[in-house]
Amino acid sequence: RPFPLAAVRSALEHAKRVVVLEKSFSVGLGGVGLGIGVVSSFVGIGGGSMSVPFMSWCNIPLKRAIATSAALGWPIAFSGALGYMASGWGRGDLPAYTVGFVYLPAVATLCLITMATAPMGARLAHRLPVAKLKKLFALLMAVMASQLLIKALA
């Protein structure tokens, strides 16, 4: 075979393998994402507390994993809030200033606090060395686990 033809054939075979691998990898990631979402919602924690370690385990640089988790937090929270609004829609036994099961003053407070502190967190994540970020994240996980354990035992 002439060299250019063999090179093209080899490249096409490689491309087919990559597409198959990407499809199976994305299906696996979808399952992991679903699992993280389900466990997070049952336990009452943010998905970032599980997705950041998973992305780090997949060799995604820690700062990128944190940024990805932060970027995904808003649409996840928004869709969750829509679900709580829909499931409690029309109930008369809820307090004033609620839409479904969503208490609007709490939403406003959380939005203001998040808007004020997110830039500080982003700057801090970019300034700190990765080793220190990992230690702080581990400390946060330990505090969250302790709170869950205390609630479970109470």
Side-chain angles (χ1 to χ4, degrees):
R1 289 185 193 152
F3 176 73
L5 238 106
V8 168
R9 182 174 175 197
S10 175
L12 288 175
E13 286 175 1
H14 176 70
K16 286 179 188 173
R17 277 181 277 163
V18 168
V19 168
V20 169
L21 283 173
E22 285 179 354
K23 285 183 181 176
S24 63
F25 191 64
S26 65
V27 169
L29 285 180
V32 168
L34 178 65
I36 287 173
V38 168
V39 170
S40 297
S41 65
F42 284 150
V43 178
I45 59 173
S49 57
M50 293 173 59
S51 62
V52 170
F54 174 74
M55 286 187 271
S56 182
W57 180 76
C58 290
N59 295 321
I60 294 173
L62 185 63
K63 291 180 182 185
R64 181 174 291 164
I66 292 169
T68 301
S69 178
L72 293 174
W74 189 87
I76 292 168
F78 183 73
S79 60
L82 288 178
Y84 279 110
M85 287 178 186
S87 64
W89 192 264
R91 292 198 40 175
D93 58 338
L94 297 172
Y97 308 110
T98 59
V99 177
F101 292 121
V102 175
Y103 186 56
L104 297 178
V107 171
T109 303
L110 284 172
C111 286
L112 290 172
I113 291 170
T114 301
M115 288 171 35
T117 59
M120 292 182 284
R123 280 193 300 276
L124 187 64
H126 286 286
R127 287 186 183 154
L128 289 176
V130 172
K132 187 166 262 189
L133 268 176
K134 285 184 177 182
K135 288 176 184 170
L136 286 171
F137 194 76
L139 178 65
L140 176 66
M141 294 296 98
V143 168
M144 289 174 64
S146 299
Q147 287 179 334
L148 288 171
L149 185 61
I150 290 167
K151 283 182 184 179
L153 296 175

